Amino acid sequence: MKKDTAVFDLINKELDRQRHGIELIASENFTSLQVIQAMGSVLTNKYAEGYPGKRFYGGCEVIDEIETLAIERLKKIFNATWANVQPHSGAQANTAVFLACLKAGDKILGLDLSMGGHLTHGSPANFSGKNYQAVFYGVKKETGLVDYDQMEAVAKAEKPKMIICGASAYSRDWDYKRIRAIADETGALVLADIAHPAGLIAKNLLNDPFEHCHIVSSTTHKTLRGPRGGIIMMRNDFDNPLGVKDPKGNIRPMSALLDLAVFPGVQGGPLEHVIAAKAISFGEILTDDYTTYAKQVIVNAQAMAQAFVKRGYDLISNGTDNHLMLIDLRNKNLTGKKAQETLDKAHITLNKNAVPFDDKSPFVTSGIRVGVPAVTTRGLKEADMEPVVEMIDAVLKDVENEGKIAEIKKQVHEFMERFPLYPELG
Ligand code: DSN
């Protein structure tokens, strides 16, 4: 068959872009080559609806071994007793959790999207806000920290069936113990969506949500550095206290309800090529090399935060505990949109982001979100954060100066040549 050069040329162009630029999107990372190879394998040909040992198709004996390996490795990482590795994404994982735990119209309490939350935590634009009644907590204006008093007050007043913690743009750790206490007092389940900091939690560098939260969901492609996908886990199984039943009307353990919610609830055939890639990345996470990586992520994020503060940037909560920071650009007379677009021209990639109490639309925003998981995988260390921030600052100080931007772009390419990406790909 003739090679589709139209598509492969574009793939190579994207490889080139990834190699030359500085990648600071907090939710992105670079997987190992073996993770990419597994995703491009013959496993994509196989239908395997169901679960290991209980499939609706023949010929699943190898697939069963692969999926079991992924589940067992994931359980080991988080000291979990149950895991589902089939969700195609974090959004799919959360959809399945809601389907398993709640009835349509039930109330949920999540971090407001405009305060750093996630679409699937109750945004009116998302299934979570359309099918469920969403109420929200936020962060404190003075500190930028999650307002647990507000969470408690809203929970007491609204009696949500589920409290969701986790965020897309929050640079601090979570008080899971307090959240569970609020949930116990008000009769709610707790879902921790750890999509962003999962890799740091895996290595005990942040608080452990499994101790206190009923259910934990995540993506696999952010700090976990695996293929694009989702997962759901529990350390302790339990019978759904909200009285949600399986399709036959039986009360079942949460693990069974969650499995049923993923398939056949919200998905059909699992992506077994991606599940194989998940298994590989989970194996990588269990190594000492990954522990070194996760520690370096935090060291790099703190060095980067300091470099920004030194240059007068206004960091929400004044710093970071994890892999990212949120920067309010209003004191620099810039919007997030302008900053993102200008930095893009210099091949420095990050995203515009609403800051808490933002006065601009989500398409413009007052801020940017900056994360270090991808550059840490490239091999950048804390001493490299200064020159990176210097280049960002040079662009943002002079956003209309195309000559300067071109000069920084050249510096970016020269700088990143020191950190080869996928050299095996030629
Ligand atoms: N889109 C992801 C992020 O960038 O954080 C969240 O789903």
Side-chain angles (χ1 to χ4, degrees):
M1 200 182 294
K2 194 166 166 288
K3 185 168 179 181
D4 189 337
T5 50
V7 175
F8 280 102
D9 285 354
L10 287 170
I11 291 174
N12 283 331
K13 210 169 154 185
E14 172 60 13
L15 171 60
D16 206 43
R17 187 194 71 79
Q18 292 186 13
R19 279 178 170 160
H20 287 105
I22 298 181
E23 182 52 72
L24 297 171
I25 293 177
S27 47
E28 293 190 10
N29 213 327
F30 300 110
T31 71
S32 67
L33 195 57
Q34 53 178 354
V35 164
I36 291 175
Q37 283 163 343
M39 280 188 283
S41 71
V42 295
L43 299 177
T44 193
N45 298 330
K46 190 73 196 95
Y47 249 122
E49 280 164 307
Y51 289 100
K54 291 170 280 179
R55 304 282 187 183
F56 287 84
Y57 291 83
C60 287
E61 59 277 11
V62 182
I63 294 296
D64 278 4
E65 283 191 58
I66 291 169
E67 192 168 330
T68 303
L69 201 53
I71 291 168
E72 291 309 317
R73 285 181 179 178
L74 179 58
K75 280 162 45 181
K76 192 164 175 198
I77 292 170
F78 289 105
N79 191 17
T81 55
W82 172 88
N84 188 308
V85 296
Q86 291 194 3
H88 301 332
S89 68
Q92 295 282 92
N94 287 346
T95 312
V97 173
F98 287 13
L99 188 67
C101 298
L102 305 169
K103 301 191 187 89
D106 275 354
K107 221 173 251 181
I108 55 173
L109 170 60
L111 177 63
D112 199 311
L113 184 62
S114 69
M115 300 269 173
H118 189 253
L119 271 176
T120 59
H121 300 179
S123 161
N126 182 261
F127 84 93
S128 55
K130 290 182 192 295
N131 293 343
Y132 305 93
Q133 267 189 76
V135 289
F136 299 98
Y137 57 92
V139 300
K140 288 193 169 143
K141 198 166 187 176
E142 323 77 68
T143 59
L145 301 178
V146 162
D147 190 341
Y148 293 100
D149 295 334
Q150 185 189 20
M151 182 192 284
E152 184 170 352
V154 178
K156 281 182 174 160
E158 301 282 353
K159 296 273 184 305
K161 293 277 170 56
M162 180 176 278
I163 300 178
I164 304 149
C165 52
S168 281
Y170 185 60
S171 63
R172 296 298 182 177
D173 205 352
W174 289 78
D175 186 347
Y176 300 110
K177 193 172 176 192
R178 171 123 197 236
I179 298 167
R180 178 60 185 263
I182 295 169
D184 283 348
E185 207 181 332
T186 56
L189 293 174
V190 183
L191 166 64
D193 178 344
I194 61 167
H196 266 270
L200 309 178
I201 292 167
K203 293 296 171 178
N204 300 317
L205 301 172
L206 293 172
N207 294 335
D208 178 8
F210 287 86
E211 254 183 68
H212 304 288
C213 305
H214 296 90
I215 302 170
V216 177
S217 68
S218 183
T219 53
T220 44
H221 48 272
K222 298 184 174 91
T223 47
L224 284 179
R225 208 164 62 177
R228 196 158 284 284
I231 44 179
I232 311 172
M233 300 159 283
M234 285 188 298
R235 186 167 292 160
N236 302 304
D237 204 354
F238 60 100
D239 287 346
N240 186 331
L242 306 178
V244 176
K245 296 178 180 137
D246 75 4
K248 289 184 181 148
N250 301 315
I251 296 275
R252 300 272 299 276
M254 210 56 241
S255 53
L257 293 174
L258 285 164
D259 276 338
L260 282 167
V262 174
F263 171 82
V266 297
Q267 291 187 175
L271 309 177
E272 292 294 344
H273 54 308
V274 177
I275 289 173
K278 285 175 179 170
I280 292 171
S281 62
F282 299 157
E284 292 169 355
I285 292 165
L286 288 164
T287 64
D288 291 342
D289 278 355
Y290 185 88
T291 310
T292 306
Y293 164 73
K295 287 181 179 162
Q296 189 66 47
V297 165
I298 292 188
V299 171
N300 282 356
Q302 289 179 356
M304 178 172 271
Q306 275 169 22
F308 273 117
V309 169
K310 201 169 98 186
R311 289 167 178 78
Y313 285 86
D314 179 9
L315 268 62
I316 305 298
S317 85
N318 292 321
T320 179
D321 295 328
N322 58 26
H323 60 297
L324 67 80
M325 61 216 73
L326 187 59
I327 304 177
D328 188 336
L329 292 171
R330 283 177 285 199
N331 68 347
K332 300 280 182 185
N333 287 322
L334 275 175
T335 64
K337 181 172 188 283
K338 184 70 182 175
Q340 178 192 307
E341 287 171 359
T342 314
L343 287 165
D344 240 347
K345 290 188 202 165
H347 291 183
I348 298 172
T349 317
L350 45 68
N351 63 282
K352 64 185 175 195
N353 212 104
V355 293
F357 309 97
D358 209 325
D359 54 345
K360 301 199 179 61
S361 82
F363 297 103
V364 178
T365 80
S366 296
I368 48 173
R369 188 184 63 164
V370 191
V372 299
V375 287
T376 307
T377 297
R378 289 290 295 263
L380 277 72
K381 299 282 188 294
E382 60 270 34
D384 300 309
M385 298 300 112
E386 222 356 91
V388 167
V389 174
E390 184 54 38
M391 288 187 271
I392 294 172
D393 189 43
V395 171
L396 295 185
K397 271 203 302 230
D398 215 354
V399 288
E400 303 305 336
N401 186 341
E402 296 295 334
K404 181 84 188 171
I405 295 166
E407 192 188 304
I408 301 291
K409 179 165 104 178
K410 200 159 154 275
Q411 280 179 29
V412 165
H413 292 183
E414 282 166 10
F415 184 79
M416 291 314 287
E417 262 173 29
R418 289 169 39 209
F419 306 98
L421 180 66
Y422 304 125
E424 307 88 339
L425 296 179

